[in-house]
Each structure stands twice: as structure tokens, then as C-alpha cells.
């Protein structure tokens, strides 16, 4: 047995763009979900997470540790942790600065009213 499909309802794919247009008096919000500077920081730290440990390993395996790959691997692991901790610190500072800016804007809006 088959079921009948209700013809009057449109699926998401069948709807027109005007169904999703902002209503009268409503502004469209087309800002990106993540600001560009956040993406650039993430890409920079991703690059550092790849280059710093591998570079540290190959620079220290022959020059500092005289062929001892265990110590060179340990130093590479330490560098990976340094990059990770640096990213966490930068993320916390950015979060705090965003909160301070929001509080300052709220304070200014209260002064004008």
C-alpha cells in the first residue's frame, strides 16, 4: 500500500528564495559566522603545529643530541605542547577582549539614552 503525499506543502528544495527573504522592516544578516582574523590565527597555529615539532626534531637530532632520536622526539613533543599552549593563551586573550568591547559598547549605549 502506498501513502499519498500532501501536495500543498513544499519541501525545502522546492521553496523559492522569497520564502527565505527577510520580512518587512527586518535587516538581513550576512556577516560570516567566524571573523577572518580568527581563521588567520587558526591557520597560523596549524602551520606552526606542523612545522615547529618536525623542524625541532630534525634540527636537534644531529646537532644537539648527537643522533639520539629519543631526546629529539621528546623535544619535538615539547614544541608541540608549546604551540598548543600558545594557541590557548591567544584564544583566552581574544575572548576577554571581545567581552570588554561588548561591555564598553553597552556602557556607551546607556550614556546616550
Amino acid at each position: 500500500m502506498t501513502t499519498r503525499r500532501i501536495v500543498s506543502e513544499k519541501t525545502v528544495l522546492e521553496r523559492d528564495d522569497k520564502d527565505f527573504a527577510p520580512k518587512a522592516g527586518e535587516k538581513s544578516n550576512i556577516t560570516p559566522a567566524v571573523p577572518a582574523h580568527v581563521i588567520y590565527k587558526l591557520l597560523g597555529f596549524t602551520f606552526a603545529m606542523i612545522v615547529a615539532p618536525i623542524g625541532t626534531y630534525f634540527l636537534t637530532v644531529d646537532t644537539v643530541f648527537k643522533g639520539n632520536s629519543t631526546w629529539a622526539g621528546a623535544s619535538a613533543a615539547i614544541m608541540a605542547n608549546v604551540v598548543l599552549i600558545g594557541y590557548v593563551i591567544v584564544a583566552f586573550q581574544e575572548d576577554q577582549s571581545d567581552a570588554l568591547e561588548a561591555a564598553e559598547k553597552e556602557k556607551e549605549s546607556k550614556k546616550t539614552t
Side-chain angles (χ1 to χ4, degrees):
M1 299 184 97
T2 60
T3 58
R4 272 185 74 165
R5 181 175 169 205
I6 300 173
V7 180
S8 64
E9 292 183 16
K10 293 182 181 179
T11 64
V12 173
L13 297 175
E14 295 171 336
R15 291 184 184 160
D16 295 330
D17 287 337
K18 62 184 174 187
D19 291 340
F20 297 106
K23 310 278 187 277
E26 186 177 296
K27 291 185 178 180
S28 175
N29 185 4
I30 57 169
T31 58
V34 180
H37 69 280
V38 173
I39 299 296
Y40 295 142
K41 285 180 189 176
L42 180 63
L43 289 175
F45 277 101
T46 301
F47 180 75
M49 186 59 100
I50 294 169
V51 172
I54 294 172
T56 301
Y57 175 81
F58 285 111
L59 287 174
T60 59
V61 72
D62 289 327
T63 58
V64 177
F65 298 118
K66 310 290 186 230
N68 188 347
S69 62
T70 302
W71 287 104
S75 66
I78 290 170
M79 283 306 296
N81 284 312
V82 167
V83 171
L84 181 64
I85 290 169
Y87 180 73
V88 169
I89 289 171
V90 168
F92 273 122
Q93 288 177 345
E94 182 178 333
D95 189 37
Q96 289 175 352
S97 67
D98 289 345
L100 290 174
E101 287 176 9
E104 186 177 313
K105 285 182 183 179
E106 183 179 323
K107 191 177 188 182
E108 288 177 6
S109 68
K110 286 183 179 180
K111 285 182 180 179
T112 58
T113 54

